[in-house]
Structures are given as structure tokens and as C-alpha cells.
Amino acid sequence: MIAENSQTKWGQFIPLVTVFFFWGFVAASNDILIPVFQKAFHLTQSQSQWVSLAFYIAYTVGSLIYMGVSILIKKDLVNKIGYKNGLALGLCISAVGTLLFYPAANYGSFPLMLSGLFIVALGFSLQQTVANPLAIALGPIKTGSQRLTLAGGINNFGTTIGPLIVSFAIFGSAGSSDISIESVKIPYLILGVAFLAVAIFLKLSPLPDRPALVEESADDAGASRSSALKYPQLVLGMIAIFVYVGVEVSTASNLPAYMEKELGFALKDVAPYISLYWASMMIGRWTGAVEAFTDNVQVQKILRFVAPYLAFGIFLGVNAIAKHDLAPFYVYGWIILVLIAADMLSKGNPARMLLIFATIGIIALLIGMFTTGMVSVYAITSVGLFCSTLWPCIFTLAVSGLGKNTSQGSSFLIMMIMGGGIMSWVQGYVSEFIGIQNSYIVGILCFAYLVFYAWKVSGILRAQGISFDKKISGGH
């Protein structure tokens, strides 16, 4: 149990993070599909963002279905079928979605492509409802956000290689500019087989079916609340998840249009920069996860420098294998130092980390808006560094103290992932009036709310007797 265990249950945690990899692989691959579909189906910038809209709105629909089924059976669905069965069912649903890519590619049907992505994400909705609180459960509550950060690092390994693999499938090793919609179907069919294989793997794994999810709130009155929506940290956290996923996804999904239209990049040359954006998420999450490995303060200090550059090395290695020119990316190593400094200032406190990282995210987008050339590209891609740990910070803060209402609260939070699709569309629409570069004002407004949430939730949780501050001695 979380209140009693002082160690992370690695034997259970490792098989769990497999599903985090798939979420990242598919989500980042969408950023390559968007400009491809835009050219193949002659879409406007806002119409091309229907890819993100269909994918991320499925999370909301999935959460609504989850709650509806729970009401009908008069019991929480996951609590009834078990956590392993919930994950396996979600993977099977996603596998069904990948099957639609075959007829969609054969008939050149954009609506059918969107339907396939929608069903894939519908399965992801159930998987995320189960996997996020489960990751928090597999160890002490004070390092719950670090475990989510580590799982997110695996997620972003998927986001790093996803755009490269999908780009290779579409354009080929020769870097051809010719676009073939039919070339999309084989990678997604292979992905469907992988979904089914992992479903079987998880069923046989030592993951618990019904773990103790979180410590009960120190607020005795709060412990008896009948609904998760009666907790202000959750309600405000739902908005925070909406705008966080919004700025994370819209920043990347509109980057290809900016680089192609404003900087003159060929579409086939954009993939490494999309990969860099999502690799930045991996770099940040590996940095933020060091406390999940050890209590030793000195070792943590060393890992804070080793982990991000190891992740950066993986990005360089993958792109070297893909035969991309690495010279433009070496300067990015200096930007990573800003991330390390911000992580050290946060001292492992999720509210403080959210405040610091969201503030730097605003600065990065302002630089991206008011500079030109590669400086603006590096500034925009660095948003990935400062978005990297925001999901686990928000999620941990939002479900803290919910007790028996944790799984319900998790479902509400997963519902708000729709912000990724909606804010991507909003930025695409805004760009048609003020230009693609200026449209990043949308992301600045998203970060501004996250700064507010970080400040507000700290007071709410303190009033409930919940604190995330670590002792100076180095223990948790």
C-alpha cells in the first residue's frame, strides 16, 4: 500500500510503462500525418487540425462512455473488471482502430482515416484512466509525480521515434517529396498487432488488479465527499489538463506549417524537428524522474546532468540512423542547461515545478514569436522541455486527497485531454487571421492559466493538510 511502502514496485511498474510508449508513438506521428493529409486532401490549416481534433476528442468520448457504463452497472467499471483487464480491453479497442487504416488508405478516404484515429484514441482513453493512477500507486505518494514523469519519459521515447518511422514509411529512405496515402496502412497494421501482443503480455504480468490508489486526505470532511467534482483541486486541475495538453499538442502540430510556410523548409525535412520537440519531452521527463530511482541526494545531483544528455544522445542516435544532418541540433545542448536549472529550483515539489516550468514556457513562446529563423525554431521546440513534467505535476496535484474518488477523478482528468485537439484547431484557425507565428499567443494564454493553477492549488492542498515538500536530509 502507498502509505506503507517506501519503495517503488519496479517489477510491476516496468510492464505498465509499455502502454505509455504507444500513446507517445501514435500522438507524435499525428504531427507528420497532419501536413501529409493537408496536401493529399487539399485542406486548409484549420481543416488539417481535424486530425488532432478527432484523436483528442476521443478521450472525452471515452471518458463519457466509461462514466455511463459505470452508472449502468452501479459500480466503477475499472473496479469491477480489474486494472489489468481494463488495460487489455483498451489495447484491443485501439487495435480495432488501426484496422481502419487499410480501407481508408485504399479508398483515399479522409473521414475513414479520422475514424481510425478516433477509435485508437478511444482505447487510449481507457488505458490512461487505468495507467496514470496505477503508476502513482506503485510506490510512495511523495514520489508519485516522479513515477508518472518516468513513465512519461518512456512515452516520449515513442514520440521521438514515431515521427521518424512514419515519415520513413511515407517518404522512403531516399527522402522523396512524393506523398502516398497508401504507405500509411502497413505501419498502423503492425501497430495493431503490437497492441494485441502487449494486451496478452499485461494480462500475464504481476500488475495488481485492485491497488490502493492514494493516501486518504488529512481533511476528514473531504474524505466523505460523494463526488470527485466536490474537490476544488480536481475541478481546477481539469482545466489545467485541458490547457496543458492544448499547448503541448498545438505547439508541435502547427510547427510544420510554420517551418514550411515561413522558413521555406521542405515538408520531408520537418520530421527531425518534430522528433526534437517530442525528444525534448523525453529529455525533461528523464531529468524530472531521477528521484524515483534513489533517495541519495548526491546521486540525484549527478543523474540530473546525466539523464537529460543521455536522452538527448538517444535523439541524436536515432536521427543519425535515419541519416539526418545532426549539425543543426548540437546547439540545443546549451538549452538543456536551462531545463536542469529549473528542475533543481523546483526541489521535487510538483506545484513549484508547475509554476517554474509554465513561466519559462511563456518566455520560450515569446522568443519564438518575436525572433526569426532557427532561433525561433529552437525556442518553439524548447517548449517540449518545459511541458515535459507538467502532466505528472497536474495529475498528482489534482487527485491528491481524493481517496475513494480517485478513479472517478482520473476519468474526469482524462476527459480533458480533448484540449489537445481543440486548442490545435483554435491555433490553426487563429493563424489564418494573424499568421502562423503570431498564433502561438494561444499557447502563451494556456501557460498563463497553468501559472495560476500552480499558485492556487498550493493553498488548497495546504488547507487539506497535504504537502509535497521533501526533508532536507534527502529522505522522502
Side-chain angles (χ1 to χ4, degrees):
M1 305 300 178
I2 287 181
E4 301 169 356
N5 269 328
S6 61
Q7 300 295 325
T8 298
K9 302 172 184 175
W10 293 110
Q12 299 172 356
F13 182 77
I14 291 172
L16 174 65
V17 298
T18 308
V19 296
F20 284 79
F21 171 85
F22 284 132
W23 304 339
F25 184 98
V26 177
S29 298
N30 290 346
D31 296 330
I32 298 300
L33 294 181
I34 286 171
V36 169
F37 288 170
Q38 184 174 11
K39 286 185 176 296
F41 298 114
H42 309 293
L43 308 173
T44 66
Q45 181 63 18
S46 60
Q47 287 173 334
S48 71
Q49 295 301 319
W50 290 351
V51 171
S52 291
L53 190 61
F55 186 78
Y56 289 100
I57 205 72
Y59 283 93
T60 301
V61 175
S63 293
L64 290 172
I65 293 173
Y66 173 87
M67 287 186 286
V69 172
S70 296
I71 291 171
L72 286 175
I73 64 177
K74 297 181 180 179
K75 186 175 182 180
D76 183 271
L77 175 63
V78 171
N79 288 340
K80 182 175 179 62
I81 68 175
Y83 277 65
K84 285 200 289 189
N85 286 334
L87 284 172
L89 176 59
L91 285 162
C92 290
I93 293 171
S94 294
V96 171
T98 62
L99 294 177
L100 286 182
F101 277 81
Y102 197 87
N106 286 340
Y107 292 106
S109 171
F110 184 51
L112 207 52
M113 287 281 188
L114 295 180
S115 299
L117 285 172
F118 179 87
I119 295 172
V120 168
L122 205 61
F124 285 0
S125 174
L126 179 56
Q127 294 166 44
Q128 291 229 29
T129 298
V130 174
N132 284 283
L134 188 54
I136 296 175
L138 299 179
I141 184 63
K142 288 185 180 294
T143 53
S145 65
Q146 280 82 16
R147 276 188 301 283
L148 271 185
T149 298
L150 177 59
I154 303 300
N155 171 282
N156 288 118
F157 179 66
T159 62
T160 300
I161 67 174
L164 298 175
I165 291 176
V166 173
S167 178
F168 177 85
I170 295 174
F171 299 113
S173 59
S176 170
S177 296
D178 295 332
I179 295 176
S180 173
I181 293 298
E182 289 198 10
S183 62
V184 173
K185 62 186 178 185
I186 298 302
Y188 279 86
L189 288 177
I190 295 173
L191 188 62
V193 173
F195 285 152
L196 295 176
V198 171
I200 296 171
F201 170 66
L202 288 175
K203 280 288 291 179
L204 300 176
S205 76
L207 276 174
D209 264 334
R210 290 171 177 83
L213 292 178
V214 293
E215 292 174 326
E216 291 291 339
S217 171
D219 175 14
D220 292 333
S224 62
R225 299 178 194 181
S226 59
S227 170
L229 291 176
K230 294 185 178 181
Y231 293 82
Q233 65 263 41
L234 176 72
V235 175
L236 294 174
M238 289 169 64
I239 302 172
I241 288 290
F242 181 94
V243 298
Y244 155 68
V245 182
V247 66
E248 176 194 293
V249 175
S250 64
T251 299
S253 62
N254 286 281
L255 182 58
Y258 169 64
M259 294 182 68
E260 186 182 9
K261 295 176 181 177
E262 303 296 328
L263 303 181
F265 275 72
L267 182 56
K268 63 183 177 61
D269 295 326
V270 171
Y273 293 91
I274 296 299
S275 176
L276 177 61
Y277 178 84
W278 294 108
S280 296
M281 300 282 290
M282 178 174 66
I283 292 166
R285 286 172 173 172
W286 284 26
T287 306
V290 298
E291 291 184 34
F293 289 102
T294 178
D295 290 344
N296 189 295
V297 174
Q298 295 304 316
V299 174
Q300 288 176 5
K301 289 180 179 178
I302 295 171
L303 289 177
R304 276 197 172 89
F305 284 89
V306 173
Y309 287 104
L310 178 61
F312 186 49
I314 290 175
F315 161 77
L316 294 174
V318 169
N319 278 273
I321 292 171
K323 298 181 179 180
H324 293 136
D325 180 14
L326 301 183
F329 304 116
Y330 294 135
V331 68
Y332 205 72
W334 294 101
I335 301 176
I336 294 173
L337 290 175
V338 179
L339 165 78
I340 296 171
D343 183 71
M344 294 175 69
L345 286 172
S346 71
K347 299 179 181 178
N349 183 304
R352 189 181 297 118
M353 181 175 284
L354 179 59
L355 178 65
I356 294 171
F357 278 49
T359 300
I360 300 175
I362 292 173
I363 295 171
L365 283 181
L366 284 172
I367 294 172
M369 287 176 62
F370 293 106
T371 58
T372 58
M374 292 307 299
V375 172
S376 64
V377 173
Y378 292 136
I380 293 172
T381 53
S382 74
V383 169
L385 292 173
F386 307 111
C387 276
S388 59
T389 60
L390 299 193
W391 170 275
C393 288
I394 298 167
F395 204 97
T396 301
L397 293 166
V399 301
S400 292
L402 268 62
K404 65 182 181 180
N405 296 305
T406 298
S407 60
Q408 183 188 65
S410 174
S411 180
F412 282 128
L413 291 172
I414 299 306
M415 181 188 302
M416 304 311 288
I417 292 177
M418 66 179 173
I422 292 175
M423 298 311 295
S424 291
W425 177 83
V426 168
Q427 184 175 346
Y429 183 75
V430 169
S431 74
E432 294 174 7
F433 296 92
I434 64 175
I436 192 71
Q437 189 173 17
N438 290 332
S439 72
Y440 278 98
I441 185 65
V442 174
I444 290 175
L445 295 176
C446 290
F447 275 129
Y449 177 82
L450 295 177
V451 171
F452 163 76
Y453 179 67
W455 167 76
K456 185 69 174 177
V457 77
S458 296
I460 292 171
L461 293 180
R462 275 198 304 270
Q464 296 178 16
I466 300 172
S467 174
F468 290 90
D469 287 318
K470 309 283 195 316
K471 294 180 179 179
I472 297 176
S473 62
H476 289 289

